[in-house]
Amino acid sequence: MCIFLVSDDVNNRTLSTPVGVTGEMTVPACVAVCQADNFPLAGLEFATQCYCGTSFSGEGAPIDSGCNMACQGNSSEFCGGANALNVYNFTGTITGPPNTNPGGGGGEAPNPDVGPVLSGLPTPWNYSGCYV
């Protein structure tokens, strides 16, 4: 798995499918939900939001900063920022078509002064950066 920092717009989403996670929002929780729903892309935004997709859409573009919000469920992980996604790209085998109706996420969290998740991601995901 690779990570990108990508911009997002609430009116024209970069990743098309909002999803909810069981329990508190963490990078592994969002990635696992997207992978289970057969999406190769998992994106975290605004500390508590998780989005899945098969490709980037809308006005999403690479960014260099802005993914600085701590995950609501783990303050040592980044979960995007305001209008900024940490996007993870699953490089393993997708077992079927994406589930395009899995549910929604949302919210906010404090403490933007944390570092990125560099370990503990499901195999074969890897950390590569932040994408807005």
Side-chain angles (χ1 to χ4, degrees):
M1 169 172 81
C2 301
I3 186 171
F4 306 94
L5 303 182
V6 181
S7 61
D8 193 26
D9 181 334
V10 69
N11 297 311
N12 195 8
R13 291 287 181 197
T14 300
L15 295 178
S16 60
T17 306
V19 296
V21 301
T22 302
E24 297 184 24
M25 184 62 68
T26 64
V27 171
C30 177
V31 165
V33 168
C34 291
Q35 183 178 353
D37 284 334
N38 293 315
F39 287 98
L41 300 174
L44 296 105
E45 183 172 2
F46 213 65
T48 61
Q49 299 173 358
C50 179
Y51 297 90
C52 305
T54 57
S55 63
F56 295 132
S57 59
E59 300 294 321
I63 57 171
D64 295 327
S65 63
C67 294
N68 57 1
M69 289 185 163
C71 293
Q72 171 262 340
N74 184 342
S75 64
S76 69
E77 300 174 347
F78 279 135
C79 281
N83 300 315
L85 291 163
N86 284 80
V87 178
Y88 294 82
N89 180 22
F90 178 64
T91 58
T93 302
I94 300 294
T95 59
N99 175 8
T100 57
N101 199 15
E108 61 182 275
N111 189 11
D113 299 320
V114 296
V117 175
L118 299 175
S119 63
L121 300 173
T123 303
W125 296 77
N126 297 311
Y127 179 79
S128 294
C130 183
Y131 207 88
V132 174

